[in-house]
């Protein structure tokens, strides 16, 4: 999910290009302003943290771009591409390392496990909104497509 600062800073294209160039498949995308309730569900695991209120304010402060991105090992690889939670510690070359400075303005969310991925996809998308298609160059991305 591209957080509101990514959208307001016109970083959508640059960030999505990275996922496309890597070889991943974007199978759903939806821009929306999250209601508090949905934001709280999305970040339920952090509800007891001191930054929870600020986090919900941040993620609801403007439009986000929610997406489903598919590909082999995509959770692990995308978490690497996103970089550390604190952008000051994120390696240069990662999305947060290149485009962000503060943890509370770290521009992108990525699911951290298959389970959280499924849970989060269900929060934002119906099955009918997820598109099945074959990339034109899939045979060059994967040894065994
Ligand atoms: P992640 O986004 O790298 O998975 P999490 O620990 O799941 O990091 O935290 C979720 C989000 O909460 C972070 O992306 C960041 O926006 C915010 N956050 C995490 N830790 C802090 C903090 O210590 N202060 C302020 N915001 C934080
Ligand atoms: Mg997380």
């Amino acid at each position: 999910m591209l957080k509101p600062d990514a959208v307001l800073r016109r970083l959508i294209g640059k960030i999505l290009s990275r996922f496309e160039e890597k070889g991943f498949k974007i199978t759903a995308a939806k821009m929306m302003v999250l209601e508090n309730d949905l934001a709280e569900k999305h970040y339920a695991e952090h509800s007891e943290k001191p930054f929870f209120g600020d986090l919900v304010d941040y993620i609801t402060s403007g439009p986000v771009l929610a997406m489903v991105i598919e590909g082999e090992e995509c959770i692990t690889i995308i978490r690497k591409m996103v970089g550390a939670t604190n952008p000051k510690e994120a390696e240069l070359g990662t999305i947060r390392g290149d485009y962000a400075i503060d943890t509370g303005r770290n521009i992108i969310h990525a699911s951290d496990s298959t389970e959280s991925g499924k849970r989060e996809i269900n929060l934002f998308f119906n099955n009918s909104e997820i598109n099945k298609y074959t990339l034109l160059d899939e045979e060059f991305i994967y040894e065994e497509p």
Side-chain angles (χ1 to χ4, degrees):
M1 172 180 286
L2 303 191
K3 296 179 178 181
D5 41 351
V7 175
L8 294 171
R9 291 175 56 199
R10 299 179 222 88
L11 292 172
I12 295 173
K14 281 187 170 141
I15 297 169
L16 293 202
S17 287
R18 292 181 179 221
F19 297 127
E20 289 195 310
E21 287 167 2
K22 178 71 175 170
F24 288 131
K25 179 167 17 183
I26 299 165
T27 55
K30 191 190 282 184
M31 188 176 283
M32 59 212 283
V33 177
L34 300 187
E35 301 283 352
N36 260 54
D37 185 50
L38 186 53
E40 285 172 7
K41 275 189 193 146
H42 173 60
Y43 278 131
E45 65 172 310
H46 298 302
S47 62
E48 304 302 320
K49 307 265 172 67
F51 58 82
F52 185 64
D54 287 342
L55 177 56
V56 170
D57 287 348
Y58 166 39
I59 202 79
T60 58
S61 67
V64 299
L65 188 71
M67 285 176 285
V68 179
I69 303 182
E70 294 183 15
E72 279 182 21
E73 306 269 341
C74 62
I75 292 192
T76 309
I77 298 170
I78 289 176
R79 292 283 299 186
K80 270 192 203 161
M81 292 173 75
V82 163
T85 304
N86 179 349
K88 292 187 182 83
E89 289 164 11
E91 298 290 339
L92 297 181
T94 65
I95 294 166
R96 286 169 173 164
D98 287 353
Y99 294 122
I101 295 174
D102 268 358
T103 303
R105 295 288 181 273
N106 63 1
I107 75 168
I108 185 166
H109 165 81
S111 307
D112 64 5
S113 67
T114 310
E115 295 68 42
S116 67
K118 281 185 188 153
R119 190 185 75 85
E120 290 166 8
I121 287 170
N122 285 329
L123 284 177
F124 302 108
F125 296 97
N126 297 318
N127 261 344
S128 63
E129 294 172 314
I130 301 171
N131 301 281
K132 293 278 166 222
Y133 63 94
T134 305
L135 294 167
L136 279 178
D137 57 356
E138 221 150 278
E139 66 183 298
F140 299 106
I141 306 277
Y142 298 110
E143 202 174 344
E144 291 175 34

